[in-house]
Amino acid sequence: MPRARRPGAITAILRRAWGLDGLKDRADDRHHGLDALICAAAANEWLLNRLTRQYQQVEEENRAKWTPNVPPPWDGFRDEARAAYETVFVARSEKRRGRGQGHNDTIYRVGEADGGKRVYERKAVADLTEADLSRLKDADGGNKPLLQALTDWIEASEPADAPPRSAKGDVVRKVYLGPKGKTRSGFALNGGHVDNADMVRVDVFGKPDKKGKEGFYLVPIYRHQVMDRARWPAPPNLAMVAHKPESSWTVIDSTFAFRFSLYPDSYVELVQNGGAVIEGYYRSCDRDTAGILLSPHNERTKKPRKRGVKTLLSFRKFQIDRIGRKHEITGETRTWHGAVCT
């Protein structure tokens, strides 16, 4: 009896033998369908046992990549498999579960600066970079000597036997840094500030402008808002505005119409002003630019594309069934804790 098979290795061997190796791309989720097709076409116990024994012999001899002489299952198999691969649509289902932590672990210090509140990050000097020094708290005032000491220490390759010291001569282990420029997303907790965890969903609203053209608005829903029923008996109603703090966001009232909610792996279609049509699975939302991030149906590991939505000609959501057919979702209702809300 041959030893346990290496299914992945045998599939790779058959891909090479049948001229399909060039289609394999792990960043393209269609490769799972290709492997399933090859396994189904090679569902012959005698062939699999023979290839397994030959592969084991190749492994023992440390031979280079091996391609056996295995005829294709039928004439034209390679061309048919390639054509099928190109037409496969990867179906995914929305992820509506909102479980997980309600906020990130670190509690940041809140201080006064420029007439308002400012969130400061506490960071070990061993983890500092030169870019971090520009965010040192009170760098132009009382901490100016500390800024120089830290700069000198980093330029000297951070010697362990000569740590940076304060103006009083004390060894400095950690410092407070200001924000990196973007508006910090979070809320007050235990006298400090915690960053929001991931968004559970984004609610999409529409409202026509003075010329009758509909604009689209995104209301982020975070996990802590869903979890804290006492503080959030009703869903949030602030729509993001690009490059603006939350205090300047748009208030959603009865003049706005709810369109649908976006969850991870919701499938959407965007029509831009120039007529270009962009489709893909929703991945996440960028509150700084008030845009959404989309991935093509067959990609998940590559970096998603960022898209604005405010001035789109059309913004639609679809359900994808198990065989990849699209069905537009119309008349979706907004819910909160399982109940319909307005």
Side-chain angles (χ1 to χ4, degrees):
M1 290 292 291
R3 289 175 291 177
R5 295 185 185 127
R6 296 270 301 277
I10 301 302
T11 304
I13 290 169
L14 289 173
R15 275 202 313 272
R16 292 198 298 272
W18 293 342
L20 298 172
D21 207 29
L23 294 180
K24 183 72 173 186
D25 180 0
R26 293 197 176 276
D28 190 327
D29 286 345
R30 291 177 296 180
H31 78 267
H32 296 297
L34 178 64
D35 287 347
L37 175 63
I38 291 172
C39 288
N44 179 303
E45 192 70 15
W46 175 85
L47 174 62
L48 294 177
N49 282 334
R50 178 170 72 87
L51 290 176
T52 299
R53 286 192 294 267
Q54 291 177 335
Y55 179 73
Q56 290 167 353
Q57 183 67 27
V58 168
E59 278 191 318
E60 291 174 358
E61 296 174 0
N62 291 322
R63 288 160 55 187
K65 185 181 289 187
W66 166 65
T67 302
N69 182 19
V70 181
W74 59 82
D75 291 339
F77 173 79
R78 182 180 67 175
D79 293 337
E80 291 180 27
R82 286 178 176 272
Y85 179 87
E86 295 298 331
T87 59
V88 166
F89 190 97
V90 180
R92 309 184 194 277
S93 57
E94 285 185 327
K95 296 178 177 59
R96 295 197 170 207
R97 296 174 63 182
R99 298 178 181 176
Q101 62 184 37
H103 56 79
N104 291 344
D105 295 331
T106 304
I107 300 180
Y108 297 102
R109 179 180 178 181
V110 178
E112 298 289 334
D114 301 324
K117 290 186 177 181
R118 195 171 186 181
V119 176
Y120 292 98
E121 171 189 0
R122 195 172 183 223
K123 192 171 185 178
V125 296
D127 298 328
L128 289 177
T129 65
E130 290 187 13
D132 289 331
L133 297 182
S134 62
R135 300 190 290 123
L136 183 67
K137 180 183 178 184
D138 198 19
D140 296 329
N143 276 337
K144 193 171 183 178
L146 176 59
L147 174 62
Q148 186 61 53
L150 291 169
T151 302
D152 294 342
W153 183 69
I154 291 176
E155 290 179 351
S157 300
E158 304 178 4
D161 57 347
R165 296 180 179 271
S166 68
K168 296 181 179 180
D170 299 325
V171 174
V172 177
R173 304 294 184 189
K174 294 185 177 182
V175 294
Y176 284 103
L177 305 177
K180 294 182 179 180
K182 293 184 178 181
T183 303
R184 201 153 201 126
S185 163
F187 55 97
L189 181 69
N190 296 337
H193 172 96
V194 290
D195 287 346
N196 286 326
D198 295 334
M199 296 178 191
V200 173
R201 76 182 199 223
V202 173
D203 290 347
V204 180
F205 289 82
K207 181 178 180 178
D209 59 18
K210 294 180 180 179
K211 296 182 180 180
K213 181 181 180 301
E214 186 175 30
F216 298 98
Y217 299 80
L218 305 177
V219 176
I221 309 294
Y222 289 95
R223 191 172 291 122
H224 75 272
Q225 294 169 329
V226 175
M227 295 167 60
D228 192 347
R229 297 192 177 207
R231 188 176 178 184
W232 294 96
N237 281 313
L238 288 178
M240 295 177 286
V241 178
H243 312 299
K244 295 290 185 180
E246 197 166 324
S247 58
S248 300
W249 285 6
T250 301
V251 177
I252 299 298
D253 56 25
S254 59
T255 63
F256 293 77
F258 175 73
R259 297 305 181 202
F260 45 78
S261 294
L262 293 179
Y263 298 87
D265 285 339
S266 294
Y267 195 82
V268 295
E269 175 198 87
L270 318 179
V271 180
Q272 297 180 320
N273 280 325
V277 178
I278 300 170
E279 299 184 29
Y281 284 106
Y282 168 79
R283 296 282 296 279
S284 60
C285 184
D286 185 341
R287 60 179 280 141
D288 187 54
T289 62
I292 61 174
L293 282 76
L294 300 181
S295 289
H297 72 93
N298 57 316
E299 294 179 4
R300 174 169 276 170
T301 58
K302 292 184 178 179
K303 186 176 181 180
R305 288 77 162 171
K306 191 180 299 184
R307 306 293 183 184
V309 303
K310 179 74 177 293
T311 60
L312 292 173
L313 292 180
S314 172
F315 191 5
R316 299 193 295 168
K317 177 182 174 181
F318 293 83
Q319 179 183 358
I320 308 298
D321 65 21
R322 292 185 177 181
I323 59 175
R325 295 177 300 188
K326 297 189 301 181
H327 307 275
E328 184 178 0
I329 296 176
T330 59
E332 185 171 303
T333 56
R334 196 184 195 202
T335 61
W336 191 243
H337 298 308
V340 176
C341 62
T342 57

